[in-house]
Amino acid sequence: MKKNIHSVSSLYIHIPYCGSKCSYCDFFSLPAAGVPDEYVKALLQQFDWFVALGLMAPLETVYFGGGTPSLLSCQQLTAIMNRLQGFLAENAEVTLEVNPESVSAELLKTAKLCGINRISMGIQSLQDEVLSCVGRCCTAARTRQALKLLKESDLAFCTDFIAGLPGQKETKQGNQEFLAALEEVISYQPHHISLYSLTVAEGTKLYRQIEQGLIQWESEEADNQWILGRDFLEAAGYIQYEVSNFAPPGQESRHNSAYWKQSAYLGLGAGGAGSLYYKDVQGRLLEGFRYTNTTKTQEYINFWNGMSCDGAEQTKLNQGVNQEVQWEALCSLLQTMRAENEVLDRETLSFEYIMLGLRMKAGIGGREYVRRFEKKLDCATFNRFVQRGWMKIVDEGEGFCGYSMTKEGIAFLNQILQELM
């Protein structure tokens, strides 16, 4: 496979189609019964273009997100994975997001045969009244069937839960039912659990319902329920390795960890995003380039299905006389996509390193910060958070120290980031 110095090892594939849109969802998604073949063809054309640019290193992680990627037919899923096969690293982590209503024995068999080894299922709740309140089109009974199929499949599987969803009974009983649902899910022995506190985004149906007084909801109650869930999961052996993610040691999401560690990734599909980074041989992070593919699906389909991947772009990159010129040529070519894009300067990148790193239990490293950005962390600022009990100092030796969040401080992460901006 062709490679250049900017090749990446993580790939995200966005499938925006969804059987229905949940009232709290602010991700890009479209109602549909299935995924058009012409959309799959466009995905593969964009992939081939990235290959022609030499951007595909052996892929360590691949993630099908959405939307509902399990709306892909078995034939479509197989076609995509067949195209990726020659680019997958040994022991690559390949994840498919699913909703319970679209899980079947046939889908799981196909996933396993074509190289998918990790399933991520959005559960959110096991209470029918709660699921109905937020527009989920699945019942608790159907979710239990899907969990049974996943456990029997021998595939690694992850589950998503949301604390503080409206539609629960009065707070104390609602919390008990919430924890009982988590306990039930754990009985199926998932390899990983994501637990989120509900955020009500402007523009969503749920936001309008709350504003109009049609649904009662309190953010503080949602956060309190999340804390109960966090403590319950940790007591059950699921370690909080990132703000919203819990897993036994060794089962952490490698794909999402690549985002949090500021590693480069490419995104396919309408609404899919990618980030590339320009580093020198010492590992100093000099500049970044981020793009988000157009969310106009027909525009995306028409553009990529009309694209010729003949290697001319690779020739342009090869004309670069040094790494800097090659980086500039690559950014120019990426700007020809139907996508929004931005160049990330070192100040932005250094803040993102802090913002993303503090989400993880390991925190941020002072030595790594100097290596990447040629400056030291502002210890005086971070020590203020240490004094409040929100952070702790990590001694790295040789005069270097890093910082990580305390269990109590996690709840104040957004406030900390606002103060750091």
Side-chain angles (χ1 to χ4, degrees):
M1 87 186 56
K2 294 178 181 178
K3 293 172 61 177
N4 67 36
I5 54 177
H6 303 297
S7 295
V8 303
S9 57
S10 289
L11 179 69
Y12 174 78
I13 302 173
H14 192 66
I15 308 296
Y17 304 97
C18 222
S20 65
K21 194 172 183 72
C22 302
S23 64
Y24 56 79
C25 179
D26 66 338
F27 293 127
F28 168 57
S29 63
L30 301 167
V35 182
D37 286 337
E38 61 177 359
Y39 183 79
V40 174
K41 182 182 177 183
L43 284 177
L44 296 179
Q45 281 288 102
Q46 188 176 20
F47 177 80
D48 287 344
W49 190 70
F50 286 147
V51 170
L53 292 181
L55 290 179
M56 289 297 167
L59 291 169
E60 298 288 344
T61 72
V62 177
Y63 195 100
F64 289 82
T68 306
S70 50
L71 286 181
L72 288 162
S73 69
C74 291
Q75 293 78 10
Q76 290 172 331
L77 187 58
T78 300
I80 295 172
M81 287 302 299
N82 283 346
R83 185 67 189 91
L84 268 55
Q85 280 303 326
F87 298 88
L88 295 177
E90 187 177 358
N91 300 320
E93 176 192 273
V94 186
T95 306
L96 177 72
E97 278 188 358
V98 302
N99 273 341
E101 66 275 11
S102 54
V103 174
S104 66
E106 181 186 14
L107 173 69
L108 297 180
K109 180 181 178 181
T110 298
K112 196 171 183 179
L113 286 173
C114 69
I116 290 166
N117 51 30
R118 191 176 176 96
I119 303 294
S120 180
M121 184 167 74
I123 294 177
Q124 320 316 358
S125 175
L126 281 179
Q127 295 174 250
D128 283 330
E129 58 270 32
V130 175
L131 294 169
S132 176
C133 184
V134 294
R136 298 281 291 172
C137 59
C138 186
T139 64
R142 183 66 184 87
T143 299
R144 293 183 176 100
Q145 291 174 8
L147 282 166
K148 184 173 183 292
L149 286 171
L150 284 170
K151 186 175 182 181
E152 293 171 349
S153 72
D154 291 328
L155 289 163
F157 75 96
C158 326
T159 60
D160 288 3
F161 245 74
I162 300 179
L165 287 171
Q168 296 183 100
K169 297 169 185 174
E170 55 90 14
T171 302
K172 185 175 181 180
Q173 185 176 349
N175 286 339
Q176 291 171 345
E177 291 170 342
F178 172 75
L179 293 176
L182 277 179
E183 184 174 20
E184 182 177 351
V185 168
I186 288 173
S187 72
Y188 291 92
Q189 299 177 316
H191 299 75
H192 185 285
I193 296 177
S194 296
L195 177 63
Y196 304 98
S197 179
L198 177 65
T199 299
V200 180
E202 288 190 42
T204 61
K205 180 179 179 181
L206 182 58
Y207 180 87
R208 294 191 295 271
Q209 290 173 321
I210 293 172
E211 285 288 290
Q212 295 166 11
L214 301 175
I215 288 179
Q216 300 301 311
W217 180 79
E218 293 291 338
S219 61
E220 185 175 348
E221 290 181 6
D223 291 341
N224 290 338
Q225 189 174 87
W226 179 85
I227 290 171
L228 290 175
R230 176 198 64 185
D231 294 345
F232 179 85
L233 289 174
E234 290 212 301
Y238 288 82
I239 307 304
Q240 184 186 24
Y241 71 96
E242 191 270 345
V243 171
S244 302
N245 289 276
F246 301 77
Q251 295 295 339
E252 299 88 349
S253 168
R254 287 160 53 195
H255 184 84
N256 288 338
S257 294
Y259 296 157
W260 301 321
K261 292 177 181 178
Q262 216 171 29
S263 298
Y265 61 95
L266 291 167
L268 306 179
S275 294
L276 292 95
Y277 301 104
Y278 173 31
K279 299 179 182 179
D280 65 14
V281 292
Q282 285 80 36
R284 293 179 295 187
L285 198 49
L286 304 178
E287 192 171 81
F289 182 91
R290 182 166 297 143
Y291 70 88
T292 303
N293 293 322
T294 178
T295 55
K296 297 177 181 177
T297 52
Q298 197 58 51
E299 180 182 355
Y300 177 85
I301 289 168
N302 292 343
F303 177 77
W304 286 108
N305 285 342
M307 172 67 73
S308 173
C309 303
D310 58 6
E313 291 85 358
Q314 178 66 42
T315 301
K316 294 176 185 177
L317 286 182
N318 289 340
Q319 292 172 353
V321 295
N322 56 43
Q323 184 175 347
E324 182 177 358
V325 172
Q326 191 178 40
W327 169 255
E328 292 174 354
L330 174 60
C331 292
S332 294
L333 286 168
L334 293 174
Q335 287 171 342
T336 66
M337 297 189 297
R338 294 296 183 270
E340 295 183 358
N341 55 73
E342 59 177 323
V343 174
L344 309 172
D345 60 25
R346 296 192 85 184
E347 183 177 354
T348 300
L349 292 171
S350 64
F351 176 74
E352 287 191 354
Y353 172 80
I354 294 170
M355 175 183 68
L356 295 169
L358 289 177
R359 293 186 61 88
M360 302 191 72
K361 184 177 182 179
I364 55 176
R367 180 182 280 104
E368 178 64 15
Y369 190 77
V370 170
R371 186 179 75 87
R372 292 190 185 203
F373 305 109
E374 301 176 280
K375 59 181 179 180
K376 292 186 176 181
L377 290 169
D378 183 354
C379 294
T381 296
F382 286 100
N383 287 339
R384 292 207 314 267
F385 304 126
V386 172
Q387 292 169 2
R388 297 179 200 175
W390 296 352
M391 285 186 190
K392 57 185 177 182
I393 299 174
V394 180
D395 187 356
E396 299 177 335
E398 299 178 357
F400 289 98
C401 66
Y403 295 88
S404 62
M405 303 298 297
T406 63
K407 190 173 182 178
E408 296 74 20
I410 287 289
F412 299 97
L413 180 57
N414 287 338
Q415 181 178 333
I416 288 171
L417 294 176
Q418 287 175 359
E419 290 189 35
L420 290 173
M421 291 179 69

